[in-house]
Amino acid sequence: EQRDATVLMVSELVANAVLHAGGELTVGIQRSGDRIHVEVSDKAGGDPVAENPDVNQTRGRGLFIVEQLSDEWGVERHTDGKTVWFLLLVPKAGETSQRALLAK
């Protein structure tokens, strides 16, 4: 569950960085105990916005997906751009994540 969610969210954040920042970006992924922390940094200014796109729209779902799948997410602004990050909590063996319980 966490692997698929992590891959999808990294893909969405990288796509956003390429689209809005012109492609220069850095990705960081760290696992520490029961936490997966991912950061995607780019040189673009501006505030990322989680939209709730219409089903017919072909774009605009990246941060909406991150908002729905992550346990936390946020933005850190820097003098030379920003970092969008998310956190996933990994359930212990035999446990189900809160996200999976909500999806049922």
Side-chain angles (χ1 to χ4, degrees):
E1 177 189 340
Q2 268 55 22
R3 180 184 55 234
D4 293 343
T6 301
V7 168
L8 176 59
M9 290 188 286
V10 169
S11 173
E12 292 296 334
L13 293 183
V14 167
N16 282 350
V18 169
L19 179 65
H20 298 291
E24 186 176 339
L25 59 98
T26 304
V27 177
I29 301 173
Q30 180 179 25
R31 167 111 188 232
S32 178
D34 66 346
R35 298 170 171 258
I36 299 170
H37 182 87
V38 175
E39 298 181 340
V40 177
S41 301
D42 63 45
K43 304 287 185 192
D47 293 327
V49 177
E51 299 178 21
N52 192 0
D54 180 270
V55 295
N56 295 321
Q57 286 180 259
T58 58
R59 295 172 47 188
R61 288 179 178 77
L63 288 177
F64 176 77
I65 289 170
V66 171
E67 187 174 70
Q68 297 301 307
L69 295 180
S70 68
D71 290 292
E72 292 181 45
W73 76 280
V75 180
E76 297 174 5
R77 285 158 191 79
H78 311 284
T79 56
D80 63 342
K82 67 180 172 305
T83 300
V84 181
W85 60 269
F86 67 83
L87 175 70
L88 279 173
L89 300 177
V90 179
K92 294 177 182 154
E95 291 182 351
T96 303
S97 73
Q98 183 69 22
R99 193 171 38 267
L101 290 173
L102 292 173
K104 290 184 178 182

